[in-house]
Amino acid sequence: MSKYFPPKFDQSAFSCPNCNVLANQTWSHYILCYYDRSNVAFHLHQADPTLNYSIAQCTHCKDLSFWKREKLLFPNVSTVEEANPDLPDDIKADYNEAKDILNTSPRSSAALLRLALQKILAHIGEKGNNINDDIKNLVKRGLPAQFQQALDSIRVIGNNAVHPGQIDLNDNPEIARALFGLLNVICHYFITQPKKIAEIYGALPEKDLNNIAKRDGAPT
């Protein structure tokens, strides 16, 4: 997957929400304009930047994005990377649904990603009933610490999204956005890497596979 740089308020460059190309952005906080595109019209009259409306123009496609304070208003697109293509279809559907609602409800988005994580754990052979127990079992089996931290980050933040906690995702949408990258990392570790290794190993000559099996005492 190509590197994705999510749109961020007042940043000089990011992946444009209109054309998806990493490009420089020209910002204006003094606005007097009428903009009509794809049946979506904006009428912004602002001579005072303290009113918190801003516009960024992409230097690649010349299209505009509209912002209020630090929130992207238009286009109403997800600002996260695409799902790892090796995610099972039902989990990918949860990922994409979470992606679609991130801008409007970071809490719901994080809760869906927690559900996606639970399904991944079941997919790789854990019970899938209790995420905390599944992570504990993976740690016992030698799961590297950084992946344990990724799993627990999605678990804890997803729990806080549906239960009162110390993390307010509506005030910190960047936390919810970061979970998408973590889920893709988890998919790469548990699904993509084993798949690639199995494909390469399975292509070895049968004679060599038999010799390896004999070496390791496995039945041929």
Side-chain angles (χ1 to χ4, degrees):
M1 293 180 291
S2 59
K3 186 68 174 176
Y4 179 79
F5 295 87
K8 290 186 179 180
F9 178 73
D10 230 12
Q11 292 293 301
S12 60
F14 49 68
S15 297
C16 173
N18 291 293
C19 67
N20 294 319
V21 171
L22 174 60
N24 290 329
Q25 305 289 325
T26 303
W27 285 88
S28 175
H29 305 290
Y30 291 88
I31 301 169
L32 179 59
C33 75
Y34 169 81
Y35 183 66
D36 192 342
R37 178 178 179 271
S38 302
N39 299 318
V40 178
F42 282 83
H43 305 264
L44 299 179
H45 302 275
Q46 173 183 273
D48 181 356
T50 61
L51 294 178
N52 297 314
Y53 285 105
S54 302
I55 284 179
Q57 183 175 37
C58 172
T59 58
H60 179 262
C61 69
K62 308 303 181 185
D63 218 333
L64 305 176
S65 57
F66 294 86
W67 303 69
K68 181 173 176 59
R69 293 189 175 90
E70 298 184 4
K71 182 177 182 180
L72 176 63
L73 296 179
F74 180 83
N76 185 23
V77 297
S78 159
T79 53
V80 298
E81 62 193 70
E82 295 297 318
N84 186 315
D86 289 322
L87 278 173
D89 288 342
D90 62 323
I91 304 176
K92 193 180 298 181
D94 292 333
Y95 184 103
N96 289 331
E97 183 179 351
K99 184 169 173 278
D100 290 341
I101 64 174
L102 173 63
N103 290 340
T104 54
S105 180
R107 292 174 66 248
S108 298
S109 181
L112 273 171
L113 292 179
R114 181 191 177 283
L115 174 62
L117 173 61
Q118 189 168 1
K119 290 181 178 180
I120 287 178
L121 292 171
H123 180 79
I124 64 172
E126 296 300 320
K127 293 181 179 179
N129 297 321
N130 185 301
I131 295 178
N132 197 44
D133 288 345
D134 288 345
I135 296 174
K136 179 180 179 181
N137 187 48
L138 289 169
V139 169
K140 286 182 178 179
R141 291 163 50 190
L143 180 71
Q146 65 267 35
F147 294 104
Q148 166 263 309
Q149 292 168 8
L151 291 166
D152 276 319
S153 294
I154 297 177
R155 177 183 66 83
V156 172
I157 294 170
N159 282 342
N160 275 272
V162 294
H163 300 106
Q166 297 180 352
I167 303 173
D168 188 341
L169 294 178
N170 289 328
D171 289 339
N172 299 280
E174 289 299 323
I175 295 176
R177 183 172 290 110
L179 298 184
F180 290 88
L182 290 184
L183 197 75
N184 275 336
V185 166
I186 290 165
C187 176
H188 185 78
Y189 177 78
F190 285 110
I191 300 176
T192 302
Q193 283 187 333
K195 176 183 174 183
K196 289 182 177 179
I197 293 170
E199 287 174 354
I200 295 171
Y201 187 76
L204 295 178
E206 184 176 358
K207 173 177 67 69
D208 294 298
L209 291 173
N210 290 335
N211 288 335
I212 292 170
K214 291 177 182 178
R215 179 200 66 193
D216 297 337
T220 58

